[in-house]
């Protein structure tokens, strides 16, 4: 499915991601956990092409995405929900989702997106900037799904969201995976959410994957240890 | 300066000069619109915008010449055709310039300023070589020559009304394009967050090229309107670029309505004052007033109040 090998990413002289290798399978949900500044966002941005990688390959169904520009990677099957959501705040909810159609070439917003997030249908004429944090998160996910991705990347989706709906978000992600048959990579710091959502957990420290565990074998104490300062 | 005139005379002078300023207003609106679209989309200040306008003016001149020698029966209808051709010519040149020059410089704003300035000099020389250094004037069809007499003293030039109609239609078209079309949605997404626009699947470079071409094409339409008020020469565009910057800055760069209002204010002020003062003094006063207002409202008259 998605096969990343030898990936290196730098900001200027400082190398953030160093020779990273990972692979995710069809329908798999992988969580990458790590404290602030460990390189999760850098990895996500390099996967979607918002920041170039200096070496390595990112193969999606055998096609190397590394030389492609952002929009080409998205058209090849990457969907991206960035940290901080980055919705287009002056555009309406509907227009925000429609921007995602650029990748699939469809004309209309698929009805199942509104089924997934009914609140977006009610608010479709509101400006994105006027939505609450949780609603903006739904909008950012809907916008990414509008491009019909094969792999959905979410960068710290629980950040700035009320604890009461974090559990709901985990359920939604599993539902998306089941209904759309896509794979999900999610970066996180909230352990309860990770345990809710992930089939497999990878721990990132200073740009390197230092620990890996399948769902059944996850040791909460160990992961909590990585997350505590 | 008003002392020598009676109140009735003053009223009609203001009205006449106001209507006479309509064509100037149209040119300003179109020029400012194109400049603002390009600046808003890619942060490029197109110093060659005046030359794109003059290309439109030359195309209008060529079209009128073609009609008068080959299709004299249809001469009355040449102007709409000229507008279309002027738009296409300037848009094509704009697209080519974006591809050859501008796209390599997006990350270096100062260099785009220099590059487009250099381009303006190149274009001026090209016009001189192709069309000659002498200014050329366009012959208007008869129906555009006359004017409506509203009262004994007040007359409205028909060409001014017509050209104003064209520019307001163009402004409306741009509005619809920006806010009702797929392409406009992409433009607004890129303007708001370029990296994110790419990450939702928008080909931002393609949007850039089309936007640059569109902005230049609108300058071409401005060139058609320009033939109504001035004669076309290689350097005639230079005189308008400063005024256009003034309109954009005064109106607040992101607001369509602000651009129109600001173009109206500045063109009317200039046109009215030119009756009483010399043209250059009129410009000086306009500039002083604009600078004064900008000191109070640096964001421009109609800066948009959009939350980010
Ligand atoms: N734009 C940038 N320029 C330079 N360094 C950066 C930039 N963004 C992030 N970094 C550095 O890269 C490292 C990883 O950051 P980031 O990927 O944002 O981590 P995380 O998302 O895990 O919190 C940090 O040391 C951070 O200081
Ligand atoms: Mg981060």
């Amino acid at each position: 499915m998605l096969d990343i090998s030898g990936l290196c990413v730098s900001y200027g002289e400082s190398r953030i991601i160093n020779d990273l290798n990972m692979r995710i399978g069809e329908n798999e949900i992988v969580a990458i956990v790590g404290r602030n500044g460990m390189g999760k966002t850098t990895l996500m941005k390099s996967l979607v092409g918002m920041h170039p990688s200096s070496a390595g390959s990112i193969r999606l169904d055998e096609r190397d995405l590394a030389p492609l520009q952002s929009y080409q990677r998205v058209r090849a099957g990457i969907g991206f929900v960035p940290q901080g959501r980055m919705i287009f705040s002056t555009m309406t909810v509907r227009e925000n989702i429609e921007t995602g159609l650029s990748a699939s070439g469809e004309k209309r917003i698929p009805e199942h997106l509104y089924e997934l997030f009914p609140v977006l249908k009610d608010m479709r004429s509101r400006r994105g900037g006027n939505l609450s944090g949780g609603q903006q998160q739904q909008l950012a996910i809907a916008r990414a799904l509008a491009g019909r991705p094969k792999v959905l990347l979410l960068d710290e989706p629980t950040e700035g969201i009320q604890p009461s709906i974090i559990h709901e978000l985990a359920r939604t992600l599993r539902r998306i995976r089941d209904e759309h048959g896509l794979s999900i990579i999610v970066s996180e710091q909230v352990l309860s959410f990770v345990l809710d959502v992930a089939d497999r957990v990878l721990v990132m420290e200073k740009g390197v994957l230092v620990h890996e565990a399948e769902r059944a074998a996850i040791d909460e104490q160990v992961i909590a240890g990585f997350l505590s300062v | 300066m008003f002392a020598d005139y009676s109140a009735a005379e003053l009223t009609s002078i203001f009205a006449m000069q106001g209507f006479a300023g309509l064509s100037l207003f149209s040119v300003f609106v179109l020029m400012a619109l194109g400049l603002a679209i390009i600046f808003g989309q890619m942060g490029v200040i197109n110093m060659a915008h005046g030359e794109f306008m003059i290309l439109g003016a030359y195309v209008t001149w060529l079209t009128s010449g073609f009609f008068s020698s080959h299709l004299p029966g249809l001469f009355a209808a040449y102007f709409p055709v000229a507008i279309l051709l002027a738009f296409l010519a300037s848009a094509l040149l704009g697209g080519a310039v974006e591809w050859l020059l501008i796209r390599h410089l997006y990350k270096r704003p100062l260099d785009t300023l220099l590059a487009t300035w250099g381009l303006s000099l190149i274009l001026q020389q090209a016009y001189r070589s192709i069309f000659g250094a002498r200014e050329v004037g366009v012959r208007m069809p008869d129906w555009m020559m006359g004017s409506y007499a509203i009262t004994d003293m007040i007359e409205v030039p028909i060409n001014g009304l017509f050209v104003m109609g064209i520019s307001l239609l163009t402004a409306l078209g741009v509005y619809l394009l920006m806010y009702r079309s797929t392409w406009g949605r992409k433009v607004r997404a890129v303007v708001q967050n370029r990296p994110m626009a790419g990450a939702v699947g928008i080909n931002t470079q393609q949007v850039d090229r089309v936007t640059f071409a569109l902005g230049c094409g609108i300058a071409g339409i401005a060139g058609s309107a320009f033939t109504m008020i001035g004669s076309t020469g290689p350097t005639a565009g230079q005189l308008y670029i400063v005024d256009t910057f003034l309109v954009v800055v005064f109106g607040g760069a992101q607001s369509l309505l602000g651009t129109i209002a600001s173009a109206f204010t500045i063109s009317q002020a200039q046109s009215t004052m030119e009756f009483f003062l010399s043209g250059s003094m009129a410009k000086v006063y306009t500039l002083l007033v604009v600078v004064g207002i900008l000191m109070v409202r640096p964001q421009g008259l109609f800066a948009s109040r959009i939350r980010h």
Side-chain angles (χ1 to χ4, degrees):
Chain A
M1 184 69 201
L2 188 72
D3 195 346
I4 303 163
S5 70
L7 189 72
C8 301
V9 188
S10 309
Y11 286 109
E13 292 294 295
S14 66
R15 179 167 286 187
I16 307 297
I17 305 285
N18 208 347
D19 190 27
L20 181 136
N21 299 287
M22 66 179 277
R23 178 195 292 255
I24 74 165
E26 306 256 353
N27 282 332
E28 195 182 17
I29 301 183
V30 172
I32 297 176
V33 302
R35 293 193 309 274
N36 272 333
M38 288 306 173
K40 303 183 296 298
T41 298
T42 306
L43 172 64
M44 292 290 189
K45 285 191 172 171
S46 74
L47 292 183
V48 78
M50 281 168 102
H51 190 78
S53 49
S54 47
S57 66
I58 304 163
R59 294 193 177 280
L60 178 59
D61 294 336
E62 300 309 310
R63 180 173 180 201
D64 190 9
L65 303 182
L68 304 183
Q69 297 186 38
S70 269
Y71 81 94
Q72 294 168 317
R73 298 187 195 199
V74 173
R75 288 175 189 190
I78 300 283
F80 183 48
V81 180
Q83 186 168 12
R85 301 176 280 274
M86 293 194 203
I87 54 151
F88 303 114
S89 55
T90 59
M91 295 164 69
T92 65
V93 166
R94 183 200 319 198
E95 287 173 334
N96 264 281
I97 304 176
E98 282 170 343
T99 58
L101 296 176
S102 318
S104 67
E106 288 169 61
K107 293 273 174 283
R108 295 185 172 284
I109 298 173
E111 195 55 33
H112 66 80
L113 286 182
Y114 284 138
E115 279 162 24
L116 202 56
F117 304 114
V119 65
L120 295 182
K121 185 162 197 174
D122 300 335
M123 299 193 139
R124 61 188 180 278
S125 304
R126 297 252 200 114
R127 287 236 171 111
N130 294 344
L131 268 54
S132 74
Q135 291 162 345
Q136 289 191 0
Q137 188 61 265
Q138 298 186 1
L139 178 55
I141 295 173
R143 179 180 65 182
L145 289 178
R148 299 203 183 269
K150 297 175 191 159
V151 180
L152 184 62
L153 312 176
L154 300 101
D155 194 5
E156 297 212 30
T158 64
E159 190 193 50
I161 289 190
Q162 291 172 18
S164 56
I165 48 178
I166 287 184
H167 183 67
E168 169 82 25
L169 182 63
R171 259 215 333 257
T172 307
L173 289 185
R174 297 191 77 86
R175 180 176 162 197
I176 292 170
R177 185 269 304 271
D178 295 340
E179 287 178 3
H180 295 244
L182 43 68
S183 311
I184 297 179
I185 303 179
V186 54
S187 85
E188 258 312 327
Q189 300 195 50
V190 176
L191 187 53
S192 64
F193 177 78
V194 170
L195 296 174
D196 254 1
V197 79
D199 300 323
R200 187 156 53 107
V201 177
L202 302 170
V203 178
M204 180 177 260
E205 296 249 273
K206 301 208 170 77
V208 179
L209 296 175
V210 293
H211 178 80
E212 174 170 1
E214 292 290 336
R215 183 178 186 80
I218 292 175
D219 184 339
E220 239 178 275
Q221 297 300 314
V222 173
I223 304 214
F226 282 114
L227 281 172
S228 61
V229 188
Chain B
M1 59 185 182
F2 301 140
D4 306 337
Y5 304 93
S6 73
E9 277 171 340
L10 276 180
T11 313
S12 38
I13 288 170
F14 275 113
M16 294 277 290
Q17 288 303 111
F19 286 123
L22 287 183
S23 300
L24 188 63
F25 164 64
S26 310
V27 173
F28 280 173
V29 165
L30 293 169
M31 283 287 280
L33 210 56
L35 204 66
I37 288 175
I38 291 172
F39 180 72
Q41 157 82 12
M42 40 202 134
V44 170
I45 297 178
N46 181 15
M47 297 293 285
H49 210 63
E51 280 64 42
F52 283 98
M53 171 179 103
I54 289 308
L55 176 63
Y58 274 121
V59 169
T60 307
W61 172 69
L62 289 174
T63 312
S64 87
F66 179 83
F67 270 70
S68 78
S69 56
H70 292 86
L71 301 164
L74 293 174
F75 189 72
Y78 92 82
F79 201 63
V81 178
I83 289 174
L84 196 69
L85 292 177
F87 173 82
L88 288 177
S90 295
L92 275 179
L93 183 64
V97 162
E98 202 277 347
W99 185 70
L100 284 169
L101 187 66
I102 310 289
R103 72 184 168 127
H104 303 295
L105 302 173
Y106 281 130
K107 297 195 176 94
R108 291 141 50 184
L110 211 60
D111 292 2
T112 56
L113 211 63
L114 287 175
T116 52
W117 183 61
L119 176 68
S120 80
L121 298 181
I122 294 171
L123 287 176
Q124 284 172 29
Q125 188 51 48
Y127 298 152
R128 206 169 285 127
S129 309
I130 299 170
F131 302 108
R134 280 210 7 237
E135 299 198 329
V136 297
V138 165
R139 190 163 73 83
M140 274 186 258
D142 294 337
W143 63 271
M144 287 178 76
M145 298 274 244
S147 46
Y148 291 120
I150 296 181
T151 69
D152 308 346
M153 284 205 270
I154 303 177
E155 290 184 346
V156 193
I158 291 172
N159 62 5
L161 284 180
F162 181 76
V163 169
M164 188 181 75
I166 296 282
S167 65
L168 292 182
L169 270 182
T170 308
L172 181 71
V174 167
Y175 172 84
L176 290 177
L177 214 55
M178 284 292 178
Y179 290 94
R180 296 283 181 275
S181 79
T182 306
W183 180 78
R185 199 169 60 222
K186 290 181 184 173
V187 171
R188 283 181 293 141
V190 174
V191 167
Q192 208 165 91
N193 188 335
R194 175 174 292 264
M196 195 58 227
V200 298
I202 295 171
N203 183 347
T204 57
Q205 291 180 340
Q206 188 187 49
V207 173
D208 285 343
R209 185 149 325 134
V210 176
T211 306
F212 198 86
L214 179 75
C216 294
I218 295 173
I221 301 181
S224 280
F226 169 77
T227 59
M228 304 282 119
I229 51 175
S231 39
T232 304
T235 56
Q238 293 265 290
L239 305 172
Y240 281 81
I241 192 75
V242 176
D243 285 337
T244 307
F245 282 141
L246 221 58
V247 168
V248 172
V249 173
F250 188 53
Q254 293 187 332
S255 152
L256 191 63
L257 215 62
T259 303
I260 294 176
S262 141
F264 188 76
T265 316
I266 292 180
S267 64
Q268 290 302 314
Q270 278 197 18
S271 172
T272 313
M273 280 193 291
E274 267 174 23
F275 187 87
F276 300 102
L277 309 160
S278 76
S280 45
M281 275 318 280
K283 272 220 169 76
V284 169
Y285 280 120
T286 316
L287 196 62
L288 282 180
V289 172
V290 168
V291 168
I293 291 179
L294 283 177
M295 285 169 87
V296 186
R297 280 185 66 86
Q299 69 276 46
L301 264 193
F302 290 79
S304 61
R305 258 164 269 122
I306 296 171
R307 269 188 261 176
H308 283 283

